[in-house]
Amino acid sequence: MASFLCDRQQRVKINETLSDWVTLRGGMPQGSWLGPLIFIILIDDLRPKLLTHKFVDDTTVSETVARGTASDLQSTVETLIEWSQRNHMNINFKKTKEMIIGPLSKENVTPLSVSTITVECVRLTSRWAL
């Protein structure tokens, strides 16, 4: 695996013009078969205390909150941020959403926040919503 990833080079072709070769410092060749497997290995130790679903470059955290109890989601988000920083991975907070399914209203839930950013809360809008 090291020989596959180390000392990789690339160059760019625009029309008939080629750039110089550049040695890459990181990353996985796009479209490689090893890419998804290596990513799964890299995120294997991501284990927050809430139910977590990992698929390629997406992670979903789920929580069932009983009436009258507090959510652990904010502390889990903070754990995810710490993990991503330790592992040199960036979270795209513009794509990060919170979805509430069930009888809770947005007014009864403390908004999730990341640093100074409030995570957008979306609602399930289909007729199958609980």
Side-chain angles (χ1 to χ4, degrees):
M1 191 171 308
S3 65
F4 177 68
L5 295 174
C6 292
D7 299 322
R8 294 192 68 84
Q9 293 188 324
Q10 76 175 24
R11 65 181 177 176
V12 177
K13 180 178 181 183
I14 300 176
N15 295 323
E16 298 303 315
T17 305
L18 285 172
S19 70
D20 293 333
W21 285 100
V22 176
T23 300
L24 303 176
R25 296 184 328 175
M28 175 64 58
Q30 190 171 5
S32 73
W33 289 36
L34 283 178
L37 175 63
I38 290 174
F39 188 78
I40 289 169
I41 292 168
L42 286 172
I43 64 170
D44 183 58
D45 68 332
L46 173 60
R47 294 188 180 123
K49 62 182 173 178
L50 295 178
L51 179 61
T52 306
H53 307 278
K54 299 179 265 188
F55 181 74
V56 189
D57 65 348
D58 278 339
T59 301
T60 302
V61 178
S62 304
E63 175 185 42
T64 302
V65 180
R67 291 184 196 270
T69 62
S71 169
D72 286 328
L73 200 51
Q74 182 65 53
S75 66
T76 299
V77 167
E78 291 164 9
T79 300
L80 291 171
I81 292 167
E82 291 169 9
W83 180 91
S84 68
Q85 290 170 344
R86 275 194 319 273
N87 288 276
H88 309 288
M89 293 189 182
N90 297 324
I91 298 174
N92 186 342
F93 295 111
K94 292 179 182 176
K95 290 184 174 181
T96 302
K97 308 283 187 237
E98 175 184 24
M99 178 182 283
I100 299 171
I101 302 173
L104 289 175
S105 67
K106 286 184 187 179
E107 295 78 34
N108 297 338
V109 177
T110 304
L112 285 177
S113 62
V114 178
S115 227
T116 60
I117 301 168
T118 298
V119 175
E120 180 185 355
C121 183
V122 296
R123 278 280 192 185
L124 188 62
T125 57
S126 83
R127 62 185 178 150
W128 304 106
L130 299 173

